[in-house]
Amino acid sequence: MANIESRISKGLTSDDEVDFDSIWATLASSLREIHTKNASNLSFEQLYRDAYKLVLKKKGEALYNKVKSFEEDWLIHNVHPQILESLPSEYVTGSVSSVNENRVIGERLMRALKHAWEDHNTSMNMTADVLMYMERVYCSESRNPSIFTAAMNQFRDYVLRAPLPMHNKMNIAVMLFLFILDQIQMEREGDIIDRALIRSCVYMLEGLYETDHEEESTKLYLTTFEPEFLAASRAFYRAEGQSLLKTADAGNYCRHTKKRIAEESDRCRSTLSTLTLPKIITVVEKELIKDLIGDVVGLPGSGVKFMLDNDRLDELEMIYDLISKVDPKKEELKLAVQKRIVELGKEINSAAIANAQSQPVKLQTKSGDQPDGDTKASSERPLNQQTAAAVNWVDDVLQLKDKYDHVLDTSFHSDQALQTAFSRSFTDFINDFSRSSEHLSLFFDENMKKGIKGKTEKEVDALLDKGITLLRYVQDKDMFERYYKKHLSRRLLMKRSVSMDAERQMISKMKMEVGNTFTQKIESMFRDMALSEDLSSNYKQHVARLGDPDPRRAELDVNVLTSTMWPLEAMSQSYRDEDARPTCILPPAIDQIKQGFENFYLDKHSGRQLTWQANMGTADIRAYFPESKGKIKTRELNVSTYAMVILLLFNDLSPGQSYSCEEIQAKTNIPMHELTRNLQSLAVAPKTRVLIKEPMSKEVKLADRFFFNESFYSQFTKIKIGVVTSGSRVEDQDERKETEKKNNDTRGGIIEAAIVRIMKQRKVLTHQKLVTEVIQQLTSRFLPDVTMVKKRIESLIEREYLDRIEDAERPAYRYLA
């Protein structure tokens, strides 16, 4: 076309006159031929030349207006009537009611519009080529839209928006929208529609604009059809959501919603416009997820609770994916899962209490015969009722934790917010159970004594990690420390740990979890045991050097314990008042050995004081039963230190003589409670009746008499005689109160230390800030009670560590150096 323009420029001067009417008549005839698809015989070079002449002679405006008038007339009298012919008159008047008829009419209208639009586009492209010079010169100078743009706007106004003959409020565009929306509704309900036909009409709407500037936001598709489509979709999905809630279960609801989102995404890409994709997805997500997800989560018999209880991991993942689209915090899902975890946790708590109380606990001994050489048989006895309930409680909590960890990893993609919610839920119900610290310690105790036996190093490590995870949830870690030290002390002193490596590994894990302060005393207990082993070895060497000629001299193994590091009061529950603990009267031979060790020890460590704890020791003694059946009449007995003292008394009696309980107590000074338990072990327990009690009964009275059982028989040569216990190492209510009292006393000192530490640094601080900082500092160890903090502040004021600032606006304190 550039060559044509060049040739025309050379053949025309500004003095030449042009006949506008004649040239326009030729152009109008040619435009009509273009619109009627008879342009094959036209000379586009000549048409361009004619339009060029008019523009050059300043007739551009007249030509522009004439072309617009021509296109307007063509659209009104030719295109619009053709489209109306596709619509039967009964449809326009509203008398068509059949769905199929409606569909056929709609497709006919869309097809007519498709052809009209394509023809108009083609014709105007050809016309624009002819009028290229006019657009370049006149339209540019006058800032009028191009003739192509003007013609597109005319198609919008005189075809799509022209009112229908018998229905002034209805036009082609409105009818088109209704038909498209109807087709989409049919497709949503499962019918197959002509997607390509709808797409061609959408393409037409995307090519038309509300203004001459043709900005993206003014596309006719976005300003007219899309709002109608979104409104209809909103109503459809709102109704569908309510219907699904009534008829579908939660899993199917999620599947259907996921399917709907995929369908709408596909519809926008293949049928409508990708411009609508984020908007329609937002509509679906709001109507089916955001507004109703709370109801779906709580559906009885199929909601999140049902999914969790029945391991519906795929459905949980679907509901997680859906709720993530509308709520980054996943509040509804989080609350539902938290609620279920707490419910199950409280069931575990209740079951533990019920199991511990389900049967009356009868007196039993920890004793048991064992074959010669078998030193582990006694540790394999079954757990008593309350201890088993305690261990089962931890096992159940760990099982619950494993299950929900799997749900978190598999269905919730290790979501951080949900992981935090899970931890909060476990923290809630674990700390709601007042025995959690004690039960967790008992769990470790049982596993360290026999639970880890036969496990690989990796399995032991996993078991300890699980226990440490529960410790993380326990708020009163100081209570756990108190119980753990108590149980550990028994394991160490009675040599019941399966693996000392595992014990040290546990300490290392606790140190990493709660810090050095938590494990300082526990580590000191291990150091004491190691030093005691060396001390016993050195003492034996010392005795050997003395050259004691007595072959019957007893061997002594001593554990020297640092009193401030070991829970001595907890290890001896009989006497909680230290001043009331009587000193046991040892047999002369044993007392001599005791004195010898004291001399040896104090010679090396002058200034120290040894306090012997007979209640915590054991003894191996050889007993001769002259009337026992069988060739071997000697048995080796493993007994408590108190039991040894009792039995050695009978060496001074002739056969047939006896001691009363009162006489034994007077000769030994053993506390009555301990004496009763040991006499029951020696004379009442069926398999270990080394003594004979008269009269025979479970209860021991001061007047009861005890004889040496010369005819005692056991098929084993080594016999462990444990001390009768109430069948439970779980504390009773009185013991629990005593433990809590001592722990609160300890906490008081810790709180005071924290207050002084804070005030020493800050010098002056308001009451509220001081309390807040104290709680923040101590939360990792225990949750301080605000009332206790206030009392400790008052105590420090009385002792002149702090001073109350009288004229302060808010209550405040000053540190006194």
Side-chain angles (χ1 to χ4, degrees):
M1 195 61 71
N3 292 334
I4 295 174
E5 181 182 344
S6 177
R7 289 196 298 271
I8 291 173
S9 299
K10 294 176 182 178
L12 185 67
T13 66
S14 59
D15 296 332
D16 294 337
E17 295 293 329
V18 294
D19 185 351
F20 180 85
D21 292 336
S22 173
I23 293 176
W24 168 245
T26 302
L27 287 173
S29 174
S30 298
L31 292 178
R32 189 171 288 105
E33 293 298 316
I34 289 173
H35 278 294
T36 56
K37 302 180 182 179
N38 291 320
S40 58
N41 294 324
L42 295 178
S43 171
F44 282 88
E45 182 178 346
Q46 183 58 43
L47 294 174
Y48 182 88
R49 181 188 181 89
D50 291 341
Y52 181 85
K53 289 178 184 180
L54 295 178
V55 175
L56 195 65
K57 300 302 291 181
K58 307 300 182 182
K59 303 293 184 180
E61 181 178 1
L63 176 61
Y64 183 82
N65 291 332
K66 281 289 187 179
V67 174
K68 283 186 63 178
S69 297
F70 174 87
E71 294 301 331
E72 177 182 333
D73 183 73
W74 177 263
L75 291 172
I76 292 173
H77 295 98
N78 292 277
V79 178
H80 190 252
Q82 289 178 2
I83 294 174
L84 288 178
E85 288 177 3
S86 66
L87 296 172
S89 58
E90 58 268 23
Y91 182 84
V92 179
T93 58
S95 58
V96 174
S97 60
S98 168
V99 175
N100 288 332
E101 288 180 358
N102 197 51
R103 176 173 182 168
V104 170
I105 294 170
E107 289 180 349
R108 194 184 302 164
L109 171 65
M110 286 188 285
R111 202 166 282 114
L113 273 173
K114 173 179 179 289
H115 293 151
W117 167 253
E118 289 174 349
D119 290 347
H120 189 62
N121 253 290
T122 302
S123 298
M124 292 317 300
N125 274 313
M126 297 172 71
T127 301
D129 286 343
V130 171
L131 303 176
M132 184 183 298
Y133 188 73
M134 181 192 73
E135 292 191 353
R136 181 180 302 170
V137 177
Y138 168 73
C139 293
S140 177
E141 291 177 354
S142 63
R143 296 186 177 180
N144 281 326
S146 69
I147 199 64
F148 182 87
T149 299
M152 294 301 105
N153 292 341
Q154 288 175 317
F155 188 90
R156 174 196 69 205
D157 296 335
Y158 301 119
V159 176
L160 293 181
R161 290 179 172 172
L164 296 178
M166 299 178 65
H167 205 305
N168 289 334
K169 294 184 179 180
M170 183 76 73
N171 57 44
I172 297 295
V174 173
M175 295 182 65
L176 173 65
F177 299 162
L178 292 175
F179 283 130
I180 294 177
L181 293 176
D182 189 51
Q183 293 277 297
I184 291 173
Q185 175 85 2
M186 294 168 63
E187 186 177 47
R188 284 172 176 162
E189 293 174 355
D191 290 340
I192 297 175
I193 62 173
D194 191 340
R195 287 186 164 195
L197 182 58
I198 296 175
R199 180 70 187 120
S200 63
C201 292
V202 169
Y203 181 73
M204 172 191 70
L205 296 174
E206 286 187 304
L208 297 173
Y209 296 83
E210 293 285 0
T211 65
D212 295 336
H213 299 296
E214 297 188 346
E215 296 174 352
E216 177 84 5
S217 61
T218 63
K219 283 185 175 182
L220 212 60
Y221 173 85
L222 295 176
T223 60
T224 57
F225 173 75
E226 187 182 76
E228 295 290 332
F229 168 69
L230 294 177
S233 299
R234 193 173 292 111
F236 173 81
Y237 284 116
R238 184 175 296 130
E240 183 176 68
Q242 294 297 332
S243 175
L244 285 171
L245 279 180
K246 296 176 183 178
T247 59
D249 59 42
N252 286 331
Y253 184 99
C254 293
R255 274 185 281 271
H256 184 82
T257 301
K258 194 174 180 181
K259 175 186 172 188
R260 284 301 196 194
I261 292 173
E263 287 176 354
E264 294 298 339
S265 178
D266 179 61
R267 184 174 294 113
C268 287
R269 290 189 174 93
S270 63
T271 309
L272 300 178
S273 168
T274 53
L275 296 173
T276 305
L277 179 57
K279 301 171 188 175
I280 186 60
I281 296 301
T282 299
V283 168
V284 178
E285 289 175 351
K286 181 182 183 301
E287 300 301 332
L288 293 186
I289 306 175
K290 187 175 182 179
D291 291 351
L292 300 178
I293 197 65
D295 297 323
V296 175
V297 166
L299 278 175
S302 67
V304 168
K305 177 181 177 181
F306 173 83
M307 295 175 186
L308 291 169
D309 291 347
N310 293 276
D311 298 326
R312 300 290 185 89
L313 300 181
D314 293 341
E315 293 178 356
L316 285 169
E317 185 176 18
M318 279 194 295
I319 208 166
Y320 169 81
D321 290 340
L322 293 179
I323 205 168
S324 297
K325 296 176 184 295
V326 298
D327 180 14
K329 295 182 179 179
K330 299 99 182 168
E331 285 296 337
E332 294 289 348
L333 180 60
K334 189 195 306 181
L335 292 174
V337 178
Q338 279 185 297
K339 180 181 178 182
R340 189 55 184 153
I341 291 175
V342 172
E343 287 175 351
L344 293 172
K346 288 184 176 180
E347 289 178 10
I348 292 172
N349 293 346
S350 299
I353 296 171
N355 289 339
Q357 299 174 349
S358 61
Q359 295 179 4
V361 182
K362 299 180 180 180
L363 292 178
Q364 65 180 37
T365 64
K366 297 184 289 184
S367 62
D369 300 342
Q370 58 190 35
D372 188 10
D374 184 358
T375 61
K376 301 179 182 179
S378 63
S379 65
E380 300 299 328
R381 65 183 182 280
L383 298 180
N384 61 67
Q385 189 79 11
Q386 292 185 356
T387 303
V391 175
N392 287 339
W393 178 84
V394 179
D395 286 335
D396 290 343
V397 173
L398 288 176
Q399 187 176 356
L400 185 67
K401 181 74 169 56
D402 287 343
K403 174 178 178 176
Y404 278 85
D405 281 347
H406 182 59
V407 170
L408 182 66
D409 295 339
T410 305
S411 301
F412 300 155
H413 309 301
S414 301
D415 184 275
Q416 188 62 45
L418 286 169
Q419 186 175 14
T420 302
F422 281 20
S423 297
R424 189 177 300 117
S425 300
F426 277 91
T427 300
D428 288 346
F429 82 78
I430 286 174
N431 290 287
D432 189 50
F433 185 52
S434 62
R435 299 276 185 170
S436 57
S437 298
E438 183 181 10
H439 283 13
L440 181 58
S441 180
L442 281 169
F443 169 80
F444 284 123
D445 187 50
E446 289 302 322
N447 278 286
M448 288 299 186
K449 290 194 297 188
K450 57 185 177 182
I452 62 174
K453 184 179 180 181
K455 293 184 182 296
T456 64
E457 185 177 340
K458 187 176 181 180
E459 289 172 335
V460 171
D461 190 62
L463 179 69
L464 297 182
D465 281 340
K466 288 182 178 181
I468 290 293
T469 300
L470 295 194
L471 175 59
R472 191 175 301 143
Y473 298 139
V474 174
Q475 289 178 341
D476 295 336
K477 292 182 175 62
D478 57 338
M479 282 290 282
F480 170 81
E481 178 191 4
R482 184 173 290 272
Y483 284 116
Y484 191 84
K485 284 166 56 181
K486 168 185 168 182
H487 297 140
L488 173 64
S489 64
R490 291 175 178 169
R491 293 199 300 275
L492 294 178
L493 295 175
M494 298 179 183
K495 297 180 172 55
R496 290 183 177 176
S497 290
V498 173
S499 168
M500 292 305 294
D501 288 338
E503 292 280 8
R504 293 187 179 90
Q505 188 178 359
M506 177 65 189
I507 303 305
S508 175
K509 290 181 180 294
M510 284 197 293
K511 183 186 293 186
M512 291 177 62
E513 180 62 32
V514 292
N516 292 339
T517 306
F518 186 86
T519 59
Q520 278 179 353
K521 291 186 177 181
I522 297 176
E523 290 177 301
S524 294
M525 293 166 66
F526 279 92
R527 282 196 294 271
D528 281 352
M529 294 301 293
L531 291 173
S532 295
E533 189 174 341
D534 293 339
L535 185 63
S536 294
S537 176
N538 292 337
Y539 177 65
K540 289 176 182 178
Q541 293 174 8
H542 169 72
V543 172
R545 285 196 298 270
L546 293 177
D548 192 336
D550 186 1
R552 299 176 62 186
R553 177 185 176 90
E555 289 188 3
L556 181 66
D557 283 316
V558 179
N559 291 315
V560 180
L561 314 179
T562 307
S563 59
T564 55
M565 298 299 172
W566 289 73
L568 301 180
E569 76 288 349
M571 293 154 59
S572 177
Q573 299 176 1
S574 305
Y575 284 81
R576 300 186 183 93
D577 184 355
E578 292 294 329
D579 296 334
R581 188 190 304 276
T583 302
C584 177
I585 301 173
L586 298 174
I590 303 299
D591 191 63
Q592 183 180 355
I593 296 173
K594 170 194 157 191
Q595 293 296 333
F597 178 81
E598 284 184 356
N599 294 334
F600 167 78
Y601 181 82
L602 296 176
D603 184 55
K604 292 180 175 294
H605 306 283
S606 60
R608 295 187 182 181
Q609 181 179 356
L610 289 177
T611 302
W612 295 82
Q613 304 287 337
N615 58 295
M616 293 159 55
T618 61
D620 291 327
I621 60 177
R622 186 175 293 108
Y624 177 71
F625 301 96
E627 297 183 14
S628 177
K629 60 183 179 179
K631 294 181 179 180
I632 301 176
K633 300 183 183 297
T634 302
R635 297 289 184 271
E636 291 185 11
L637 308 180
N638 176 260
V639 296
S640 69
T641 302
Y642 282 152
M644 173 201 70
V645 173
I646 294 169
L647 289 175
L648 290 181
L649 290 177
F650 288 87
N651 282 339
D652 300 331
L653 293 182
S654 301
Q657 291 184 320
S658 65
Y659 286 120
S660 69
C661 174
E662 187 174 11
E663 290 171 338
I664 295 175
Q665 205 280 327
K667 288 180 176 293
T668 62
N669 206 28
I670 297 174
M672 196 61 206
H673 174 70
E674 297 283 359
L675 179 60
T676 300
R677 293 170 60 222
N678 280 274
L679 287 174
Q680 286 174 327
S681 298
L682 296 170
V684 177
K687 295 183 179 180
T688 58
R689 290 178 181 171
V690 178
L691 301 180
I692 298 173
K693 177 179 178 293
E694 290 184 0
M696 184 60 192
S697 65
K698 289 184 178 179
E699 293 185 8
V700 176
K701 299 178 181 179
L702 289 174
D704 292 346
R705 302 203 68 83
F706 293 86
F707 300 82
F708 182 69
N709 184 6
E710 297 186 0
S711 61
F712 173 79
Y713 171 77
S714 173
Q715 60 178 324
F716 304 105
T717 58
K718 291 184 179 181
I719 307 166
K720 180 178 176 62
I721 303 178
V723 181
V724 165
T725 175
S726 60
S728 170
R729 287 171 298 145
V730 177
E731 290 182 332
D732 59 28
Q733 291 299 325
D734 292 338
E735 291 170 337
R736 176 73 180 181
K737 288 180 181 178
E738 183 69 19
T739 300
E740 289 177 349
K741 180 181 179 299
K742 290 180 178 178
N743 204 58
N744 285 336
D745 292 342
T746 304
R747 285 183 178 182
I750 294 173
I751 291 173
E752 285 189 357
I755 294 171
V756 171
R757 191 164 52 247
I758 293 168
M759 291 302 298
K760 190 173 182 179
Q761 180 182 10
R762 306 291 291 275
K763 305 303 182 185
V764 175
L765 206 59
T766 63
H767 172 80
Q768 189 60 46
K769 287 186 177 179
L770 177 58
V771 171
T772 301
E773 287 198 30
V774 169
I775 292 174
Q776 287 176 346
Q777 280 198 14
L778 300 180
T779 297
S780 62
R781 186 170 178 81
F782 63 91
L783 190 61
D785 180 61
V786 176
T787 304
M788 184 181 290
V789 176
K790 291 179 179 179
K791 288 181 179 179
R792 293 299 97 198
I793 292 174
E794 293 298 327
S795 176
L796 289 170
I797 291 174
E798 291 175 4
R799 288 178 283 156
E800 298 183 353
Y801 284 91
L802 304 179
D803 184 28
R804 187 179 281 107
I805 302 176
E806 299 295 342
D807 56 348
E809 293 182 7
R810 297 179 180 178
Y813 308 103
R814 181 186 296 108
Y815 176 70
L816 300 177

